[in-house]
Amino acid sequence: MDFAKNKTEILPKWALCLILLVGAGLAGQARAQLSPGPLSAPHAHLEGLTRCSSCHKLGSREVQDKCLACHQEIATMRSSGRGLHAGEDYQDCVDCHVEHHGRDFDLVFWPDGQEGFDHGVTGFALQQSHARLQCHQCHAARYQTDPGFLREKQKDPARTFLGLSATCTACHADVHAGQFPADCTACHDAGAWKPAPRFDHAASAFPLTGKHQQVACAGCHKAEAVPDRQAPVTRFKPVEHGSCASCHKDPHAGSLGGDCVRCHETGGWKRIAGEGFDHDRTRYPLRGRHAALRCDQCHRPDGGKPEFAACTACHGDEHEAARRGRPALAACQDCHTVQGFRPARYTMEQHQQGAFPLRGAHRAVPCLACHQPTEAGRTQLLPPHGTCGACHRDPHPAGMAGFAGGQGGRCDACHGAEGWTGAAFDHGQTGFALDGAHARAQCRGCHKNEALTDFRGLRTACAACHEDIHAGQFAARRTSNGQHVACDRCHVTRDWFAEKFDHERDSRFALRGGHETTPCARCHLPRQVKGRMVVNYRPVPTACKDCHSTPPVGGENGAKP
C-alpha cells in the first residue's frame, strides 16, 4: 500500500473528525464522537469511542504529549538527544506515524521509501559493508541490547528498529577477547576486518622498522587458547618485546651480552652498526690493519663465522708452505704483524738459525736481493743456496771451473764471506809458490788483465814479469828449457840483490885479497846500452893494468913496503 497516497487520502477524514469534535464542543450537544477509521494492529487495544482521549486531547488534534507519555522509550531518546526521534525534523509524531487506517496499516511513513532512507539522520551513517546490508540484517532481535524491555512496551522485536547499540561489539563478536578497548573503529573501518586500515603500528609500544616491516603479523602475534573460547585467539597485546631475545635466538649464546642493538640494526642481521659494535668483545679483537677492514671482507655472505685460528684461514699461502712440505713457513706470526706484511720482523737471530746463516758481507745484503719474487709473484723464502753460483755469477772464464785444487770450483776455496777481495788462495797449487817479495805483491801486480778475473796464461819465468835490467848481458845464461834467462841463478825473491851470485863460481875473475873488499861499483861501472845506462857486469877486463895504473904498494897482498 502506498503510504504517501494514504496520507493524502486521510486528510479529509481528519478534517471531518476535527470539525465534528469542534462542533460538538461548541454546541455541547454531542454525547460521543465518530472515529475517522479503525486503528492499526499495535493500537487496536485503544479502539472505541470511549478511548479517544487516550491519544487525543478533547477539542484538539494534538497527540504529541500522549504519544510520548505512552512511548517512554522514545521520550527518553529525545531527552538524551539520541537517535532519529531526537532530530528537529522528527519532533512531530504524526509526520511519520498516522493512525485510523486499519489493522493492516503500517504506522511508519517512509518519504523516500524504506530503501531510500538516509540512515545518517539516526546518528549512525551506513558506510562500506554496512551500506550493502538489508535493514532486517541488523535490526533483528539477536542484536537488541534489551529485547525484554521492548516486549514489555509491546514492541515486536522482529519489526522494531529500536534497541540497537552503535558499538561494534553489539553486533560483532570481540575476536580479540578483550585485549583492546571496545572502540573497534580505532583500528578498523566498515569495509572489512582485515586489514585494519586505521591501525598504526608506529603509534604502538613497538614501532616497526627495517625488516620488521616485512614480517607477517602472525610471525609475532601467535594464536593461543583463551578460557571460554573454543577457537584460539591471536595474541596482540601484551607481546613481550623488551629485548631482541624476546623473539630472536641469540646466535652468540650470550657471549656478547643481550643488547643486540649495540651492534645490529633492524635493516638486517648482517648490517652491523659499526659505531656501536665493539669487536674487542669477540674472541678476535681487531688490531693493526685488520681494524680498517670492512665486515664483509672477513664475514661470509651466508652468515657463517670466519675462521681465525691461523692467518692462512684468510690469507693465501704466499710462501707455498703446503707444496713445499714446510709448515713452519705458514706460521705468519713468526715474521709478520697485523700492522702489515712489510717490513717483516724476521730477525737476524732467526736467520742465523735457518739453513743459511749469514756471514760477512751477506749480513749487509738487502733481503730482496736474495729472496726475490717467484713467477707467481710470491716472495721466495727458500732460494737455492747450496753453492755460491746459486746467487752469484761466476766472473771467471770457463777454463777456471776446476782451478781450485780439486775443490770442484767452489768459490770459498779462495774467497770468504767478508768480500771478494783478499782471496785466500794457495798459489802453490799453480806450481809457482809465492814467497819473498812475491808473497807481498797484489794479485793485480802480476795478473793485469782488465777484468782481473782471468788468472790463467802467466809465465813463471822472471823475465815474463820483470824487465831485464842487465840489458841482455846474461842472455846466454838460460833456463833448462832454454826459453828464458835464468835470473834465479843469482837472484832470490826476497829482494833484487844477487844473493845467490858467487864471484868465485859464477865469474872468470875470482876475488882475492883486496878485491874481496872492493865495492862492486868500483869495477862494474855504468855504461850506455841501447840508449840507456846500465851497470856493466860483462864483459869486464880482468888484467891488472885494466884497473890499476901502478902496481900496488906492499907486494902481492897490497902491503906497503
Side-chain angles (χ1 to χ4, degrees), residues 108-128:
V108 181
F109 170 60
W110 306 93
D112 296 319
Q114 184 172 340
E115 298 301 327
F117 176 67
D118 179 11
H119 209 282
V121 299
T122 68
F124 188 85
L126 299 181
Q127 299 174 344
Q128 296 175 305

Side-chain angles (χ1 to χ4, degrees), residues 467-474 491 527 529 532 534-535 537:
E467 181 183 4
D468 182 7
I469 62 174
H470 302 305
Q473 297 178 64
F474 301 100
H491 298 280
R527 67 185 177 93
V529 178
R532 64 190 182 102
V534 298
V535 177
Y537 288 102

